[in-house]
Amino acid sequence: MGNCMSTNKKASRAPDDEQFEVAIIGGGICGLILAIGLLRRNVKITMYEQSRSFREIGAGVAFTANAIQCMRLIHPGIVDALKSVATSNGDPNDPNDYLQYTDGFNQKEGEESKILFKLYAGYRGFEGCHRAHLLDELVKLVPDNVVQFRKRLDRYTDHGDGGKLKLHFEDGSSAEADAVIGCDGIKSKVRQVLLGEENPASYPTYSHKCAFRALVPMDRAAAALGDEVAKNQRMHYGPSAHILHFPVAHQSLMNVVAFLDDPTERSYSSKLSEPGSKQEVVQAFANWGPTVRTITNLLDDEMDKWFIFDTNDHPAPTYASGRVCIAGDAAHASSPHHGAGAGVGVEDALALSRLLELVTDSVNNNTQISKQEALKAAFAAFDEVRRERTQWFVSSSRMICDVYELKHAETGTEMQKMYEEIKWRSHAIWYFDIDGMLHQVEDQYKGRLNGDKIPKSML
């Protein structure tokens, strides 16, 4: 690549040619955090969001200590935003930093809910919050003038002449940018255009699991379950189903998610959720232990029923093509069983923030590097470093659900084997080498600009 560069590019540039503009498609948590990171690094951006305003679907979301450290490196204000709405396990003044697992099925009448094993997640290593509350705080870090609403992407075009990429929206309008990053979620249009509409990897597939999500007022939950259970994260596992709950909204709500099998076939183009009923959940857990049955009886009569799609069956063969890339759920939508999908998206945002910072340095300080070449190198580096880890994460999330539900061939119903499987997979997520990733993306980027062949990153 370096041998083909003209030595007088810098001298022939117009004043604005050294700058570049990035279009971020999608204004969810991942897109907003990336936007905040790029703005901090003086990268010019425009964000295009299909809705009328910023909004997040779902209820609770949680971040471990490692994800929070990634946030801090992107922009300390992101951590401040999280802390303002986050809720720790247990006593806020003495948080419980463990994730806890119980046998929700075999508990006998009159027995207390016993913790069978637990995992240390780091100091304040499990910060839960309501998605919408976090989004409201993140929005405050993004200037209004960089966001355009009601812009649903139809396609983008690259004429291959090194000029601007053109974005075409469903309302008939268009825009231009030097690079495009798709943060447009599980049904990503950017992924469909990047990989091709005939490619199965362009679309998520149904995992045959559904989830009932609800928020229970904490006073009701604590009265029925006791403070110790209600105000701490608990995973209640059992045959072919499991229930997770943790506190949100400064301990005023208990976020509950009940996972059930769903043998029906569903298309990615159908709705991801529909109204669900308390009765369906109560019936599914009717033969479980008293704690789980008490939780199901706390639910409202009506709640959301979510159908869990992911990219496990057809993972993307690449996250980048030229000056276009995909990140977060757009690249590697996962089932929620590790409870870390948002955190892995934050890792993506940190990698891209660093790479585009390197692009700025390159085009400002090297007369032989064009912004087009630098952007292509950055996105290729992102794909190389991030794809293996994130696709492992998607696969592991499916597998860990089988462990929780006593269906995994190697662990079965043996508690010690379950513990070891959950532990090593969780630690691979929580104790990720952030500095190592940053060194990898920098080495990959610089190697591509120099025309070097870079060995496959070790994740």
Side-chain angles (χ1 to χ4, degrees):
M1 186 180 293
N3 295 333
C4 299
M5 298 178 186
S6 170
T7 58
N8 62 356
K9 285 180 181 176
K10 188 106 172 173
S12 63
R13 289 173 181 159
D16 289 340
D17 281 354
E18 295 178 13
Q19 299 180 0
F20 60 92
E21 181 173 2
V22 176
I24 299 175
I25 310 299
I29 288 176
C30 182
L32 276 170
I33 287 177
L34 175 60
I36 293 164
L38 296 184
L39 288 168
R40 186 190 184 202
R41 290 156 179 81
N42 298 314
V43 175
K44 186 177 181 182
I45 67 163
T46 302
M47 174 176 283
Y48 299 95
E49 165 56 38
Q50 66 183 14
S51 302
R52 296 183 179 185
S53 61
F54 290 115
R55 64 184 181 89
E56 264 291 338
I57 59 176
V61 64
F63 297 93
T64 57
N66 205 56
I68 295 170
Q69 176 60 12
C70 286
M71 291 178 176
R72 186 173 289 109
L73 293 171
I74 296 169
H75 190 309
I78 299 171
V79 179
D80 294 337
L82 174 64
K83 296 296 184 182
S84 70
V85 297
T87 303
S88 297
N89 278 327
D91 183 348
N93 298 316
D94 184 21
N96 173 7
D97 295 325
Y98 289 85
L99 301 191
Q100 303 175 123
Y101 300 81
T102 75
D103 181 345
F105 185 77
N106 290 310
Q107 179 192 8
K108 305 301 182 184
E109 294 293 338
E111 287 184 347
E112 292 186 359
S113 176
K114 296 179 181 178
I115 299 167
L116 297 182
F117 54 88
K118 58 185 180 180
L119 292 178
Y120 179 66
Y123 175 67
R124 299 188 73 91
F126 188 86
E127 298 278 88
C129 65
H130 193 295
R131 287 177 178 270
H133 297 168
L134 176 59
L135 196 79
D136 289 344
E137 294 301 314
L138 293 175
V139 166
K140 297 175 183 178
L141 299 174
V142 179
D144 292 341
N145 62 358
V146 303
V147 183
Q148 293 191 30
F149 293 106
R150 300 185 182 182
K151 293 296 179 184
R152 183 187 294 271
L153 184 71
D154 178 63
R155 67 190 188 283
Y156 63 81
T157 52
D158 181 357
H159 296 294
D161 57 1
K164 299 273 189 179
L165 304 172
K166 191 165 186 177
L167 306 173
H168 306 268
F169 300 99
E170 289 188 359
D171 65 1
S173 64
S174 62
E176 292 183 331
D178 295 293
V180 176
I181 302 176
C183 295
D184 47 341
I186 192 168
K187 293 186 177 183
S188 171
K189 188 67 175 183
V190 179
R191 184 176 71 243
Q192 292 173 25
V193 180
L194 189 151
L195 299 179
E197 294 189 357
E198 301 302 317
N199 191 334
S202 293
Y203 310 101
T205 53
Y206 191 41
S207 70
H208 295 287
K209 295 296 293 186
C210 63
F212 291 79
R213 302 174 186 266
L215 293 168
V216 178
M218 187 58 77
D219 56 353
R220 288 182 57 218
L225 297 165
D227 283 357
E228 180 64 25
V229 175
K231 295 184 177 181
N232 283 278
Q233 179 274 352
R234 291 276 177 99
M235 172 71 75
H236 305 271
Y237 63 78
S240 299
H242 65 284
I243 281 188
L244 168 71
H245 61 79
F246 56 88
V248 297
H250 302 297
Q251 299 267 357
S252 66
L253 297 170
M254 185 175 78
N255 180 67
V256 180
V257 192
F259 296 94
L260 301 175
D261 285 337
D262 178 18
T264 61
E265 296 296 333
R266 296 183 182 276
S267 167
Y268 80 95
S269 59
S270 62
K271 290 184 177 181
L272 296 181
S273 67
E274 66 183 26
S277 71
K278 171 181 177 177
Q279 191 57 33
E280 188 173 351
V281 182
V282 169
Q283 288 178 351
F285 291 95
N287 295 323
W288 284 52
T291 296
V292 168
R293 296 201 312 271
T294 298
I295 293 170
T296 62
N297 283 318
L298 287 168
L299 304 178
D300 290 334
D301 290 337
E302 297 180 357
M303 68 190 76
D304 293 327
K305 179 180 181 180
W306 291 83
F307 304 108
I308 299 173
F309 286 76
D310 64 17
T311 56
N312 182 72
D313 294 344
H314 301 288
T318 181
Y319 292 171
S321 177
R323 290 176 283 145
V324 179
C325 82
I326 48 178
D329 282 354
H332 45 79
S334 170
S335 54
H337 307 301
H338 271 307
V344 172
V346 173
E347 294 174 11
D348 284 354
L350 175 59
L352 285 167
S353 295
R354 177 56 182 151
L355 282 163
L356 292 177
E357 184 177 31
L358 291 170
V359 170
T360 298
D361 292 341
S362 296
V363 299
N364 285 342
N365 300 319
N366 192 320
T367 59
Q368 295 188 343
I369 298 174
S370 71
K371 60 188 178 185
Q372 291 85 0
E373 291 164 327
L375 287 163
K376 289 178 182 179
F379 288 168
F382 174 78
D383 172 63
E384 176 65 28
V385 174
R386 293 297 299 158
R387 182 155 43 94
E388 184 175 345
R389 170 173 169 79
T390 54
Q391 291 183 352
W392 169 85
F393 172 77
V394 173
S395 175
S396 183
S397 186
R398 280 259 195 126
M399 183 176 291
I400 211 68
C401 179
D402 287 344
V403 174
Y404 298 152
E405 300 186 354
L406 313 179
K407 294 185 289 188
H408 184 45
E410 295 182 11
T411 59
T413 59
E414 297 184 47
M415 188 179 68
Q416 185 61 33
K417 288 184 177 180
M418 292 173 61
Y419 167 72
E420 294 295 339
E421 193 74 23
I422 294 168
K423 179 181 177 180
W424 86 258
R425 291 180 181 278
S426 298
H427 283 187
I429 299 164
W430 301 347
Y431 301 114
F432 176 54
D433 183 0
I434 300 170
D435 290 339
M437 178 191 74
L438 293 174
H439 286 305
Q440 286 178 351
V441 296
E442 184 168 348
D443 289 346
Q444 290 282 339
Y445 170 75
K446 291 179 177 178
R448 279 167 168 74
L449 287 185
N450 293 330
D452 299 337
K453 183 173 177 59
I454 308 298
K456 191 167 184 63
S457 58
M458 297 188 64
L459 302 175

